[in-house]
Amino acid sequence: MSVRTGVRGLPGIARERLTAAVGLGLICATLTGCGDGGPTHATASSTPPSTFASPPTASTSPPEPTPTVSDVATTAPDDPVTESAEDEPVTAGASGASALWGKAYSGAADISVDIYDYCNADGSRRLADSQTYSLASTLNLSRPRTGGDETEDNPFSLLFAAGDPSQAGAVSFWSSAVGTTSGQDLAGNPRDPRLLLTYWDVGWSDGELDARLTDPHTQEAVALNLLNWPSPVVACRTDLGQLPGGYPHALASGATFAGHLDGSTASLTAEGGSTDGLIEFRFEFQGTAS
């Protein structure tokens, strides 16, 4: 069984950076990788750290566990599609959440990261290090996405990015993505090849955002909610150094993103952890709509 992945429709520079990162999806799903660390200060980036690192048409083999008949797919979803905020102008006279469609916010996120390992003599989890970063960040809102016969059940589609994808401490939040699968299920029955993947349950009312990550989609190897962090050359041997490059850790269900969000400003906090239990994070984002 093979997986085709690709990306189109991201806003501006986001498309180039996400495409350049395509091949890491399967790495993120199996949660193995490498990286380098150290506090950094980023320039603004409109694209999140990604699970991908090769051209959109590349084919790879999916990680275990492989999809079953209940997954209703002959391949894992590919071609995550997002609408550009620039393509979603605010409609004159729009009110409520629809007035935020097309809004783009820029600012900074102050991120605190706790790093854990399992290097105690008895193999139990322990706090190994803590770091704090300030990263240039962007938040883009768009119309809820539609894939196949489904529409994202959120007031708007949300894409948050802190830092450049390869930076230590970089964070990405995607509320949804649309993947392209084969035109048949495992039984050979025809089906719509566009598949909607929803990651976050987003609530918004009277300027207050309350969002929770409900499904990281690591089984489908399309984990787009990530925190990038380096990895040691040898586990429990920090004296041997760290592997070069970044390692995107998939964020676990239960991460939160909440606070004040209106047509002009965003003042939001987030916290959560990685699916491998090695990373916990918190951040505060202050942004202004452009």
Side-chain angles (χ1 to χ4, degrees):
M1 188 180 299
S2 64
V3 181
R4 289 182 59 252
T5 60
V7 180
R8 59 184 175 84
L10 283 173
I13 194 170
R15 175 194 295 228
E16 300 175 7
R17 288 179 176 167
L18 185 56
T19 301
V22 172
L24 291 175
L26 302 180
I27 298 176
C28 181
T30 55
L31 300 178
T32 59
C34 58
D36 56 6
T40 57
H41 295 269
T43 56
S45 169
S46 60
T47 182
S50 171
T51 56
F52 307 96
S54 61
T57 56
S59 296
T60 56
S61 297
E64 294 297 335
T66 55
T68 63
V69 172
S70 62
D71 294 320
V72 196
T74 55
T75 63
D78 70 2
D79 293 346
V81 178
T82 62
E83 294 81 6
S84 168
E86 291 85 352
D87 295 334
E88 298 292 346
V90 178
T91 303
S95 61
S98 63
L100 300 181
W101 297 352
K103 288 290 185 181
Y105 305 77
S106 59
D110 294 326
I111 304 173
S112 297
V113 179
D114 292 331
I115 306 98
Y116 293 85
D117 62 28
Y118 294 87
C119 298
N120 280 323
D122 61 357
S124 60
R125 183 172 178 258
R126 69 173 187 179
L127 178 64
D129 194 10
S130 295
Q131 298 286 343
T132 301
Y133 292 76
S134 181
L135 300 177
S137 305
T138 59
L139 172 64
N140 290 274
L141 306 180
S142 63
R143 182 189 305 275
R145 297 189 180 93
T146 298
D149 58 356
E150 294 184 273
T151 298
E152 179 180 359
D153 188 20
N154 286 321
F156 41 72
S157 207
L158 176 155
L159 174 60
F160 173 79
D164 290 323
S166 61
Q167 282 186 280
V171 177
S172 68
F173 290 167
W174 297 58
S175 67
S176 69
V178 176
T180 303
T181 68
S182 70
Q184 294 181 326
D185 63 20
L186 290 176
N189 301 311
R191 57 109 185 267
D192 193 316
R194 287 170 54 83
L195 176 67
L196 177 69
L197 298 173
T198 299
Y199 300 84
W200 289 76
D201 179 11
V202 179
W204 183 87
S205 178
D206 297 326
E208 295 299 314
L209 177 73
D210 183 12
R212 181 175 296 272
L213 179 62
T214 56
D215 189 343
H217 287 293
T218 51
Q219 269 197 316
E220 296 91 339
V222 192
L224 299 178
N225 291 270
L226 309 166
L227 190 147
N228 200 63
W229 202 258
S231 179
V233 174
V234 178
C236 302
R237 291 293 305 274
T238 57
D239 57 307
L240 297 179
Q242 296 173 326
L243 293 168
Y247 172 25
H249 293 256
L251 300 184
S253 297
T256 60
F257 195 31
H260 183 75
L261 175 67
D262 60 28
S264 57
T265 62
S267 180
L268 304 169
T269 61
E271 62 180 312
S274 59
T275 55
D276 57 12
L278 299 179
I279 301 291
E280 290 183 1
F281 72 93
R282 301 165 300 284
F283 71 73
E284 296 182 1
F285 169 67
Q286 300 290 332
T288 303
S290 56

